[in-house]
Amino acid sequence: MATTHALAGLLLAVPVALVAPEFAVVAAVAGFAGGVFPDLDMPGEHRRTLHFPVYYTLAAGAVGVAALVVPSAWTVGSVMFLAAAAVHSLSDALGGDLELRPWEGTGDRGVYSHYHRRWWRPRRWVRYDGAPEDAVATVGLGLLALLAYDGAFDALVLGTIAVGVVYAALRRRIVDWGEQAVDALPEETVDRLPDTLVEDLR
């Protein structure tokens, strides 16, 4: 889930808070945002358009060197954003596939590697986004973040946990609701929707 990725990105910034507390806030916000960013490709080709498991990693390493040489809010924030986006993209390969019902385990697309020009297969350590184990990961990462930041981001973390738990509880129903919504739409409206979306929901 995006919530799991966001909280993982927030936790990535903890070492910055310990070593350079003057950059703690910018690092935390950038890590959280970087954890969410790749999933903004959902309206397009999800796990491909904004997912770059290799390139984000290389970019984070390069900017990380710059941040060590010239530490500033911009360099530290940039490296945390890129590192969180890299962790997000890499960890998507550990989850389920991109099928409409990923709990059925019928697909073979985990995340696309532009460097290798192919899809990495899903490992299914977390069976699908919104699976019970994904909700557990969101809650666990959130609790760690609450402890690590000592109240500084309580509202953000608690809100993220709440969104993740609710999404996980409704995950399978959302697909059914989507199908019902498409079936209820006038045909001229359906014709304006992306073909891939309509095919998935029908």
Side-chain angles (χ1 to χ4, degrees), residues 126-137:
V126 173
R127 292 168 296 158
Y128 56 91
D129 67 296
E133 60 269 29
D134 199 1
V136 169

Side-chain angles (χ1 to χ4, degrees), residues 75-151:
T75 56
V76 172
S78 296
V79 72
M80 292 314 308
F81 182 93
L82 291 166
V87 169
H88 177 144
S89 300
L90 289 164
S91 63
D92 271 348
L94 304 179
D97 58 61
L98 281 174
E99 298 303 305
L100 185 62
R101 292 178 172 81
W103 45 87
E104 295 177 355
T106 57
D108 61 357
R109 294 179 300 162
V111 67
Y112 189 81
S113 171
H114 293 80
Y115 177 81
H116 297 96
R117 297 184 181 180
R118 63 179 175 83
W119 285 91
W120 288 353
R121 65 180 181 83
R123 302 310 199 271
R124 297 190 172 87
W125 293 5
V126 173
R127 292 168 296 158
Y128 56 91
D129 67 296
E133 60 269 29
D134 199 1
V136 169
T138 284
V139 173
L141 292 171
L143 293 176
L144 288 174
L146 291 173
L147 293 172
Y149 287 102
D150 195 25

Side-chain angles (χ1 to χ4, degrees), residues 20-98:
E22 66 273 23
F23 298 126
V25 173
V26 69
V29 172
F32 188 93
V36 173
F37 179 74
D39 275 347
L40 297 181
D41 67 6
M42 284 187 182
E45 192 168 1
H46 185 39
R47 294 195 190 171
R48 179 171 182 166
T49 306
L50 294 178
H51 286 63
F52 300 93
V54 175
Y55 293 136
Y56 282 140
T57 303
L58 295 174
V63 178
V65 172
L68 289 173
V69 175
V70 186
S72 70
W74 283 105
T75 56
V76 172
S78 296
V79 72
M80 292 314 308
F81 182 93
L82 291 166
V87 169
H88 177 144
S89 300
L90 289 164
S91 63
D92 271 348
L94 304 179
D97 58 61
L98 281 174

